[in-house]
mmCIF file with all atom_site columns, all heavy atoms in Angstrom:
data_model
loop_
_atom_site.group_PDB
_atom_site.id
_atom_site.type_symbol
_atom_site.label_atom_id
_atom_site.label_alt_id
_atom_site.label_comp_id
_atom_site.label_asym_id
_atom_site.label_entity_id
_atom_site.label_seq_id
_atom_site.pdbx_PDB_ins_code
_atom_site.Cartn_x
_atom_site.Cartn_y
_atom_site.Cartn_z
_atom_site.occupancy
_atom_site.B_iso_or_equiv
_atom_site.pdbx_formal_charge
_atom_site.auth_seq_id
_atom_site.auth_comp_id
_atom_site.auth_asym_id
_atom_site.auth_atom_id
_atom_site.pdbx_PDB_model_num
ATOM 1  N N   . TYR A 1 267 ? -4.659  11.224 -19.457 1.00 0.00 ? 267 TYR A N   1
ATOM 2  C CA  . TYR A 1 267 ? -4.738  11.633 -20.856 1.00 0.00 ? 267 TYR A CA  1
ATOM 3  C C   . TYR A 1 267 ? -6.114  12.209 -21.209 1.00 0.00 ? 267 TYR A C   1
ATOM 4  O O   . TYR A 1 267 ? -6.632  11.983 -22.282 1.00 0.00 ? 267 TYR A O   1
ATOM 5  C CB  . TYR A 1 267 ? -4.407  10.453 -21.773 1.00 0.00 ? 267 TYR A CB  1
ATOM 6  C CG  . TYR A 1 267 ? -2.961  10.052 -21.698 1.00 0.00 ? 267 TYR A CG  1
ATOM 7  C CD1 . TYR A 1 267 ? -2.573  8.905  -20.996 1.00 0.00 ? 267 TYR A CD1 1
ATOM 8  C CD2 . TYR A 1 267 ? -1.972  10.825 -22.295 1.00 0.00 ? 267 TYR A CD2 1
ATOM 9  C CE1 . TYR A 1 267 ? -1.240  8.538  -20.916 1.00 0.00 ? 267 TYR A CE1 1
ATOM 10 C CE2 . TYR A 1 267 ? -0.643  10.470 -22.214 1.00 0.00 ? 267 TYR A CE2 1
ATOM 11 C CZ  . TYR A 1 267 ? -0.281  9.320  -21.529 1.00 0.00 ? 267 TYR A CZ  1
ATOM 12 O OH  . TYR A 1 267 ? 1.035   8.965  -21.439 1.00 0.00 ? 267 TYR A OH  1
ATOM 13 N N   . ARG A 1 268 ? -6.663  12.988 -20.307 1.00 0.00 ? 268 ARG A N   1
ATOM 14 C CA  . ARG A 1 268 ? -7.963  13.604 -20.565 1.00 0.00 ? 268 ARG A CA  1
ATOM 15 C C   . ARG A 1 268 ? -7.900  14.509 -21.793 1.00 0.00 ? 268 ARG A C   1
ATOM 16 O O   . ARG A 1 268 ? -8.871  14.634 -22.537 1.00 0.00 ? 268 ARG A O   1
ATOM 17 C CB  . ARG A 1 268 ? -8.394  14.397 -19.330 1.00 0.00 ? 268 ARG A CB  1
ATOM 18 C CG  . ARG A 1 268 ? -9.800  14.965 -19.404 1.00 0.00 ? 268 ARG A CG  1
ATOM 19 C CD  . ARG A 1 268 ? -10.247 15.446 -18.024 1.00 0.00 ? 268 ARG A CD  1
ATOM 20 N NE  . ARG A 1 268 ? -11.529 16.114 -18.103 1.00 0.00 ? 268 ARG A NE  1
ATOM 21 C CZ  . ARG A 1 268 ? -11.677 17.431 -18.279 1.00 0.00 ? 268 ARG A CZ  1
ATOM 22 N NH1 . ARG A 1 268 ? -10.606 18.200 -18.382 1.00 0.00 ? 268 ARG A NH1 1
ATOM 23 N NH2 . ARG A 1 268 ? -12.873 17.970 -18.350 1.00 0.00 ? 268 ARG A NH2 1
ATOM 24 N N   . PHE A 1 269 ? -6.746  15.157 -22.001 1.00 0.00 ? 269 PHE A N   1
ATOM 25 C CA  . PHE A 1 269 ? -6.611  16.061 -23.155 1.00 0.00 ? 269 PHE A CA  1
ATOM 26 C C   . PHE A 1 269 ? -6.651  15.287 -24.474 1.00 0.00 ? 269 PHE A C   1
ATOM 27 O O   . PHE A 1 269 ? -6.810  15.891 -25.538 1.00 0.00 ? 269 PHE A O   1
ATOM 28 C CB  . PHE A 1 269 ? -5.313  16.874 -23.058 1.00 0.00 ? 269 PHE A CB  1
ATOM 29 C CG  . PHE A 1 269 ? -4.049  16.056 -23.161 1.00 0.00 ? 269 PHE A CG  1
ATOM 30 C CD1 . PHE A 1 269 ? -3.389  15.926 -24.364 1.00 0.00 ? 269 PHE A CD1 1
ATOM 31 C CD2 . PHE A 1 269 ? -3.528  15.426 -22.047 1.00 0.00 ? 269 PHE A CD2 1
ATOM 32 C CE1 . PHE A 1 269 ? -2.218  15.187 -24.463 1.00 0.00 ? 269 PHE A CE1 1
ATOM 33 C CE2 . PHE A 1 269 ? -2.365  14.682 -22.132 1.00 0.00 ? 269 PHE A CE2 1
ATOM 34 C CZ  . PHE A 1 269 ? -1.706  14.553 -23.343 1.00 0.00 ? 269 PHE A CZ  1
ATOM 35 N N   . ARG A 1 271 ? -8.972  12.955 -24.837 1.00 0.00 ? 271 ARG A N   1
ATOM 36 C CA  . ARG A 1 271 ? -10.347 12.467 -24.760 1.00 0.00 ? 271 ARG A CA  1
ATOM 37 C C   . ARG A 1 271 ? -10.484 11.198 -23.911 1.00 0.00 ? 271 ARG A C   1
ATOM 38 O O   . ARG A 1 271 ? -11.544 10.566 -23.919 1.00 0.00 ? 271 ARG A O   1
ATOM 39 C CB  . ARG A 1 271 ? -10.959 12.241 -26.151 1.00 0.00 ? 271 ARG A CB  1
ATOM 40 C CG  . ARG A 1 271 ? -11.008 13.493 -27.016 1.00 0.00 ? 271 ARG A CG  1
ATOM 41 C CD  . ARG A 1 271 ? -11.896 13.292 -28.226 1.00 0.00 ? 271 ARG A CD  1
ATOM 42 N NE  . ARG A 1 271 ? -11.428 12.274 -29.128 1.00 0.00 ? 271 ARG A NE  1
ATOM 43 C CZ  . ARG A 1 271 ? -10.564 12.464 -30.116 1.00 0.00 ? 271 ARG A CZ  1
ATOM 44 N NH1 . ARG A 1 271 ? -10.042 13.675 -30.309 1.00 0.00 ? 271 ARG A NH1 1
ATOM 45 N NH2 . ARG A 1 271 ? -10.210 11.486 -30.909 1.00 0.00 ? 271 ARG A NH2 1
ATOM 46 N N   . GLU A 1 643 ? -10.571 18.388 -14.118 1.00 0.00 ? 643 GLU A N   1
ATOM 47 C CA  . GLU A 1 643 ? -9.207  18.880 -14.280 1.00 0.00 ? 643 GLU A CA  1
ATOM 48 C C   . GLU A 1 643 ? -8.421  18.737 -12.976 1.00 0.00 ? 643 GLU A C   1
ATOM 49 O O   . GLU A 1 643 ? -7.269  18.297 -12.976 1.00 0.00 ? 643 GLU A O   1
ATOM 50 C CB  . GLU A 1 643 ? -9.231  20.354 -14.708 1.00 0.00 ? 643 GLU A CB  1
ATOM 51 C CG  . GLU A 1 643 ? -9.556  20.582 -16.161 1.00 0.00 ? 643 GLU A CG  1
ATOM 52 C CD  . GLU A 1 643 ? -8.372  20.297 -17.060 1.00 0.00 ? 643 GLU A CD  1
ATOM 53 O OE1 . GLU A 1 643 ? -7.297  20.889 -16.860 1.00 0.00 ? 643 GLU A OE1 1
ATOM 54 O OE2 . GLU A 1 643 ? -8.525  19.458 -17.970 1.00 0.00 ? 643 GLU A OE2 1
ATOM 55 N N   . GLU A 1 646 ? -7.517  15.133 -12.299 1.00 0.00 ? 646 GLU A N   1
ATOM 56 C CA  . GLU A 1 646 ? -6.420  14.644 -13.140 1.00 0.00 ? 646 GLU A CA  1
ATOM 57 C C   . GLU A 1 646 ? -5.085  15.208 -12.682 1.00 0.00 ? 646 GLU A C   1
ATOM 58 O O   . GLU A 1 646 ? -4.056  14.538 -12.783 1.00 0.00 ? 646 GLU A O   1
ATOM 59 C CB  . GLU A 1 646 ? -6.668  14.979 -14.610 1.00 0.00 ? 646 GLU A CB  1
ATOM 60 C CG  . GLU A 1 646 ? -5.588  14.425 -15.526 1.00 0.00 ? 646 GLU A CG  1
ATOM 61 C CD  . GLU A 1 646 ? -6.041  14.219 -16.942 1.00 0.00 ? 646 GLU A CD  1
ATOM 62 O OE1 . GLU A 1 646 ? -6.762  13.238 -17.212 1.00 0.00 ? 646 GLU A OE1 1
ATOM 63 O OE2 . GLU A 1 646 ? -5.675  15.053 -17.794 1.00 0.00 ? 646 GLU A OE2 1
#
Side-chain angles (χ1 to χ4, degrees):
Y267 291 104
R268 186 167 174 268
F269 66 96
R271 300 193 297 273
E643 283 283 304
E646 183 156 284

